[in-house]
Amino acid sequence: MSNEPTVAFALARAHAPLLPFSSFRSLLAVRIAWTVGIQMLFVAIGWQMYALTHDAWALALVGLYQFFPVLLLTLPAGHAADSWRRARIVLGCLAVQGVVAAAMAFATHRNGLTRDALLLASLLLGAARAFQMPALQALVPSTVPPPLLSRAMAAVSTGSQSSVILGPALGGALVSFGIGVVYAVAALLFLAAALLALGLKVREVQRERRAATLDALVGGLRFVWRKPIILAAISLDLFAVLFGGAVALLPIYADTILHGGPVMLGWLRAAPAAGAFAMSLWLVRYPPKRRVGVTLLASIGVFGLATVVFGVSTNLWLSLLALIMTGAADMVSVVIRQTLVQLETPDEMRGRVSAVNAIFVGASNQLGEFESGSLASVIGPVGAVVLGGALTCLVALTWAWRFPQLAARKTLDG
């Protein structure tokens, strides 16, 4: 029997609008409110830590403290996302982050927020995000039909990146009114996201609550290891951003290299998101369809080259342009990688596989910040950023050789 009607239906749905799906709208609103709040916190914590210590090593520790919970808790979090209602997990994590932000606002008002308190807050925020991200990511395929998934991923990235633009810019601007104001506004945004999550109506399959055995916890790792295309995609992101991330050093660039202040830091933090936002708008309309493997590898190479340019720049506009390019290139990588992971994973495994993906993403971001900060303390911030960008380019070339099936991948659905 011919499958042409099914194919035609899928192609028609692939061009359907996304916003009529109420569950997708609600999930997108939750993600936007949360992302604005967490980005504001990142700016405030980084600026306050540097103001207290003037030490690149302290900035490195912030990234490390955020990563430790991801490393330790994400596999149990993935198991929880495959055993419990994912929307409820997201709600609980938002509540925890709201309490942390409110406590930081109160402590700042009382002049009691110290270096150790900032590290403790980073640890708690990392723990909440460790449980939130697998559940939040695994919810996306439940909100749209499969033919719309790549566009939904791009749309979610559009919302997230617009929030990453707004969050740092708003956080940097509010710093002039006091760090405590930033923490208080972030707490209100977490509250708004939690209220939105309460109304999130997603048809989740009733799952069997499995015991948290070692076999269940490592199920996602085994699945990824047996799927070379997924392993290649997420490990590429891990090593590329691990070496190429310069986010931890932006307070130093804003203060001592570009001779600005917290407002400039907000714009530097927002610049990659601006590039990602513009690229995500393009990808919503024109999702990757051909030679997606080569496109993924090329985007990592562009990310590395733009990082090198930022590292050597002493001009604000050139620095912003380079950061915009890193964001645009990273967005291409994110959409291709996340769509591949979701399409190649059955629903009953999505929580655990999303958890493994979260470990890789967390490692690339938080360990990348630790690597940049610790290396900068030895060879200086410029040397650390330039070396990291060069290593990122090398990673793209190495993965093209090590994983030929990734380079040969033609389409997202294989």
Side-chain angles (χ1 to χ4, degrees):
M1 183 175 180
S2 173
N3 64 348
E4 289 181 2
T6 302
V7 173
F9 175 75
L11 290 173
R13 293 303 297 270
H15 296 282
L18 294 168
L19 291 182
F21 296 95
S22 60
S23 54
F24 179 76
R25 291 199 309 270
S26 298
L27 186 64
L28 185 60
V30 169
R31 188 145 189 165
I32 289 173
W34 170 74
T35 304
V36 172
I38 200 69
Q39 289 297 321
M40 291 177 65
L41 280 187
F42 288 159
V43 170
I45 291 173
W47 185 258
Q48 190 165 23
M49 179 63 82
Y50 190 64
L52 287 172
T53 65
H54 291 281
D55 184 8
W57 176 250
L59 293 176
L61 286 178
V62 170
L64 189 64
Y65 272 62
Q66 290 178 7
F67 174 68
F68 268 143
V70 175
L71 181 64
L72 296 177
L73 299 176
T74 300
L75 288 181
H79 173 76
D82 283 337
S83 302
W84 299 79
R85 295 287 185 182
R86 292 163 181 167
R88 294 179 183 176
I89 295 173
V90 172
L91 176 61
C93 293
L94 288 169
V96 170
Q97 291 168 95
V99 170
V100 171
M104 294 172 74
F106 179 76
T108 301
H109 178 69
R110 299 294 297 269
N111 296 318
L113 202 55
T114 63
R115 171 184 177 275
D116 291 341
L118 287 171
L119 293 177
L120 176 60
S122 298
L123 193 70
L124 293 174
L125 291 171
R129 291 174 67 214
F131 276 90
Q132 178 176 310
M133 290 312 298
L136 193 62
Q137 194 68 23
L139 279 172
V140 178
S142 302
T143 63
V144 296
L148 290 178
L149 184 57
S150 65
R151 291 181 56 226
M153 288 294 181
V156 167
S157 296
T158 301
S160 296
Q161 294 305 325
S162 62
S163 304
V164 174
I165 296 171
L166 176 61
L170 182 59
L174 290 178
V175 164
S176 60
F177 297 96
I179 292 287
V181 174
V182 183
Y183 295 139
V185 173
L188 291 175
L189 285 168
F190 290 138
L191 174 61
L195 292 175
L196 288 167
L198 278 174
L200 186 61
K201 299 185 185 303
V202 178
R203 292 183 178 180
E204 296 191 62
V205 177
Q206 186 65 40
R207 302 174 186 87
E208 178 185 355
R209 293 182 179 176
R210 309 173 184 88
T213 63
L214 180 62
D215 182 70
L217 293 178
V218 301
L221 283 171
R222 285 200 307 269
F223 182 86
V224 170
W225 186 258
R226 294 169 183 171
K227 283 275 191 178
I229 198 71
I230 297 180
L231 177 63
I234 64 177
S235 61
L236 174 65
D237 180 78
L238 165 66
F239 287 100
V241 181
L242 174 64
F243 293 131
V247 173
L249 303 180
L250 291 184
I252 300 176
Y253 269 80
D255 185 48
T256 65
I257 295 177
L258 299 174
H259 307 292
V263 174
M264 181 182 289
L265 174 62
W267 286 111
L268 290 175
R269 287 293 298 256
F277 176 72
M279 181 56 70
S280 64
L281 289 177
W282 175 268
L283 293 174
V284 169
R285 182 66 181 88
Y286 303 103
K289 294 180 179 179
R290 301 174 182 173
R291 303 186 69 187
V292 295
V294 172
T295 302
L296 176 58
L297 292 165
S299 69
I300 298 300
V302 171
F303 180 90
L305 289 173
T307 299
V308 171
V309 173
F310 171 76
V312 300
S313 173
T314 57
N315 179 274
L316 174 60
W317 296 110
L318 179 59
S319 297
L320 289 173
L321 178 60
L323 289 174
I324 288 170
M325 290 301 298
T326 64
D330 186 53
M331 177 50 55
V332 175
S333 170
V334 166
V335 170
I336 293 176
R337 175 172 49 83
Q338 291 188 354
T339 305
L340 280 174
V341 170
Q342 296 297 334
L343 288 176
E344 296 278 339
T345 306
D347 182 72
E348 65 271 14
M349 288 292 300
R350 280 189 176 128
R352 281 167 287 177
V353 172
S354 294
V356 174
N357 190 36
I359 291 177
F360 280 73
V361 171
S364 62
N365 290 324
Q366 273 70 59
L367 277 185
E369 292 183 14
F370 175 72
E371 177 269 338
S372 297
S374 57
L375 190 59
S377 67
V378 177
I379 65 174
V382 174
V385 173
V386 171
L387 179 60
L391 289 173
T392 299
C393 295
L394 181 60
V395 165
L397 294 173
T398 302
W399 257 243
W401 164 75
R402 178 63 181 82
F403 295 100
Q405 60 270 59
L406 178 62
R409 184 77 176 224
K410 301 299 182 183
T411 62
L412 288 171
D413 59 9

